[in-house]
Amino acid sequence: MKEWKFEKQDLDCTLTINDDAVIKLKINDGASCDMEKLEQGAVYFFGNHHLIINGEEKVIRGLILDNYDEIKTYYDDMKNKINSPYRKKKEKMLEGVQWNVEEYSERDEGGKTKSYKHTLVVNGETFVFKERNLFDVGRVINPAYKISDEFSEGGIPSYKDGKWIWLGFNAGWEEVREMSQNEAKAFEIVSKYGKYAKETEKRA
């Protein structure tokens, strides 16, 4: 989601566009409302809105946007992504899957950074993963559960002979077991569509 703040006709406005290309506008401390469209340099309400401006009631159909081109470009990009093969593959992979994401903060050598806890339910089985962007390492996804009774919580994934397996650390990293079918699907969802899916470069 992206937002733009601006002032029009003595109104403090916040316009947002989410990942589903839904445009919302919040005026002053009011509730956000869905907008109908972006057109001819302005954003338009569904129907007319009655607002009190400088003590007088005025009917507003839309508001002119100073940075209309930027907003319209972002909106069009989101619409294209919705119809893209990437979006369709994601929707197909998530069919029947429950997916909840919680954000939290961690500190490493690079300072404070956002991390995410993913809880997925696949065919009745629940899997929890931590997704982080570590200093001088990059993106990592670890299980927030024991992959074996011999290891504590955690581990790293590895792809071998067309299958996902877990590695655990003992004297060094060693193969522990192959992921189950549901587990591998849950991991691939986070890997392909998690919060840091497009941020694969190392932090420095």
Side-chain angles (χ1 to χ4, degrees), residues 14-18 21-26 31-37 43-47 49 61:
T14 301
L15 183 146
T16 60
I17 300 176
N18 67 15
V22 174
I23 310 168
K24 289 182 178 288
L25 185 67
K26 180 177 181 180
S32 295
C33 56
D34 291 348
M35 307 302 294
E36 181 180 10
K37 60 184 175 180
V43 60
Y44 293 90
F45 293 95
F46 284 100
H49 263 54
R61 177 73 179 90

Side-chain angles (χ1 to χ4, degrees), residues 75-91:
Y75 174 74
D76 289 342
D77 286 345
M78 294 308 300
K79 292 287 286 186
N80 289 334
K81 285 181 180 179
I82 289 173
N83 297 321
S84 69
Y86 171 88
R87 181 80 176 212
K88 291 177 181 178
K89 287 180 180 178
K90 179 180 178 181
E91 290 176 351

Side-chain angles (χ1 to χ4, degrees), residues 120-139:
L120 301 98
V121 181
V122 182
N123 295 323
E125 291 191 79
T126 301
F127 304 97
V128 183
F129 301 98
K130 293 180 179 179
E131 180 188 19
R132 298 171 291 168
N133 191 18
L134 300 180
F135 175 77
D136 206 28
V137 174
R139 184 187 187 219

Side-chain angles (χ1 to χ4, degrees), residues 4-74:
W4 294 262
K5 294 183 180 295
F6 56 95
E7 185 175 316
K8 286 290 180 181
Q9 303 180 38
D10 297 325
L11 303 171
D12 292 323
C13 305
T14 301
L15 183 146
T16 60
I17 300 176
N18 67 15
D19 293 343
D20 293 315
V22 174
I23 310 168
K24 289 182 178 288
L25 185 67
K26 180 177 181 180
I27 297 177
N28 294 337
D29 295 324
S32 295
C33 56
D34 291 348
M35 307 302 294
E36 181 180 10
K37 60 184 175 180
L38 288 166
E39 189 177 83
Q40 297 178 341
V43 60
Y44 293 90
F45 293 95
F46 284 100
N48 296 326
H49 263 54
H50 297 257
L51 300 172
I52 303 299
I53 302 175
N54 294 329
E56 296 182 8
E57 183 180 70
K58 293 187 179 181
V59 178
I60 295 181
R61 177 73 179 90
L63 295 172
I64 299 295
L65 301 174
D66 296 333
N67 48 352
Y68 173 81
D69 290 341
E70 175 191 342
I71 294 172
K72 184 64 164 60
T73 297
Y74 184 84

Side-chain angles (χ1 to χ4, degrees), residues 152-170:
S152 59
E153 178 183 303
I156 59 174
S158 180
Y159 197 68
K160 181 179 180 182
D161 299 327
K163 297 178 181 179
W164 284 107
I165 62 173
W166 286 121
L167 303 181
F169 191 82
N170 198 346

